[in-house]
Amino acid sequence: MNQEAAIKKAFTKNLLLWHASVNKRDLPWKEEQDPYKIWLSEIILQQTRAQQGLPYYLKFTVAYPTVKALAAADDNDVFRIWQGLGYYNRCKNMLATARLVTSEYSGIFPDSYEGLLTLKGIGPYTAAAIASFAFRLPHAVVDGNVYRVLSRYFGIDTPTDSKEGKLLFTALANELLDKANSAHYNQAIMDLGATVCTPKKPICSDCPLSRQCLSAGTGLASILPVKSKKIVVKTRFFAYLLMQFKDTIWIEKRGSGDIWENLHQPFLIENSEHPAATADIISMLASQTGIPPNLIVFKENTQQKLTHQIINTSFFVANLNKKPSPSRTNGIWVSINELKKLAFPKTLVSFFKNNLYF
Ligand code: SF4
């Protein structure tokens, strides 16, 4: 056996030994073999840390124990449970896939990697996860944890977000996979990436791969893995006006093609730049709602950082004794008690909690 083959063999062997004897990462979806619950956990965990996703996974599996139950659910109820998890497109795609699996496949997920890939919202990573965890098929998962562990262990600086990088790391992951033990192998490499070979300050002293790893004890781990594209962050300026008439609030549903799709919100105006003064925003809100400026009261400013956007929000309220006629006619008046049944972006939930006491 040449040196390269020996290093690869040691990788798989040491990883599985660590998983069997040391890895104590205990999460409810581990060892799960129901493809629905595995799929659910994978959708929730995209772009989300395990500890943050855990309560959502538990709520979903209690509310919707089968894919048929999820498919039959009311959209508002599902978005309400998802509220706070972000990336709301995932929730929309999840519902679409649940309904497709129910209507086209009688509620049974396809039992092959290729069949899973045909489902909307299921890409190579999720298909490999379901194929290996539910059906014990020999497909290696390749996610951010896997890119990190492999790039550091083998000292590979090919950008992981390039076409070449994706092909290279996928081929390497499948070569290293213990094909008779794909579920444990996949779980092991993801857990190692999440708990030992972490993005910042990997704990090489606790790593079962440190003897052969090209990054152990060097500065390489701080620059690997490499990404070619830098994230462009856009700054946006929102002004919400909470129009209250008796115990009702004017609410509209956000449209498609933007963040927080399908969630609800009070009257919103967006500026490409921050207006010079609060009074300027009040006069814009007044002209678009017909409410006299002296009834519009500034409450607070907040900032929320998303992966690609920074949202600066100013909140205003207007307590009214007659209903105004805002420029947009798609809103409805909802009682404050009923707001609990609708899904809102996190920043609005905090504002409501502080100002409407629900
Ligand atoms: S030795 Fe360090 S850099 Fe290498 S795989 Fe382990 S934790 Fe990561």
Side-chain angles (χ1 to χ4, degrees), residues 152 196-197 202-204 207 209-210 213 215-216 221:
R152 288 173 177 174
V196 179
C197 194
I203 315 163
C204 299
C207 181
L209 309 177
S210 61
C213 175
S215 298

Side-chain angles (χ1 to χ4, degrees), residues 142 147 159-171 229:
V142 185
Y147 281 128
T160 56
D161 55 349
S162 65
K163 193 174 169 197
E164 184 193 357
K166 284 188 173 65
L167 288 172
L168 187 156
F169 283 103
T170 301
K229 294 186 202 116

Side-chain angles (χ1 to χ4, degrees), residues 158-220:
T158 308
T160 56
D161 55 349
S162 65
K163 193 174 169 197
E164 184 193 357
K166 284 188 173 65
L167 288 172
L168 187 156
F169 283 103
T170 301
L172 179 58
N174 277 298
E175 188 185 345
L176 295 165
L177 178 74
D178 181 342
K179 294 185 175 44
N181 205 0
S182 59
H184 285 147
Y185 172 88
N186 279 337
Q187 195 62 63
I189 193 166
M190 288 197 290
D191 285 354
L192 190 83
T195 61
V196 179
C197 194
T198 47
K200 288 178 189 155
K201 297 191 182 158
I203 315 163
C204 299
S205 54
D206 288 353
C207 181
L209 309 177
S210 61
R211 271 189 64 194
Q212 282 92 4
C213 175
L214 289 179
S215 298
T218 74
L220 265 183

Side-chain angles (χ1 to χ4, degrees), residues 301-321:
N301 289 322
T302 64
Q303 188 182 71
Q304 188 177 2
K305 289 185 179 162
L306 308 174
T307 313
H308 295 94
Q309 301 190 19
I310 296 174
I311 312 291
N312 295 291
T313 304
S314 302
F315 287 98
F316 297 82
V317 296
N319 279 304
L320 307 162
N321 53 22

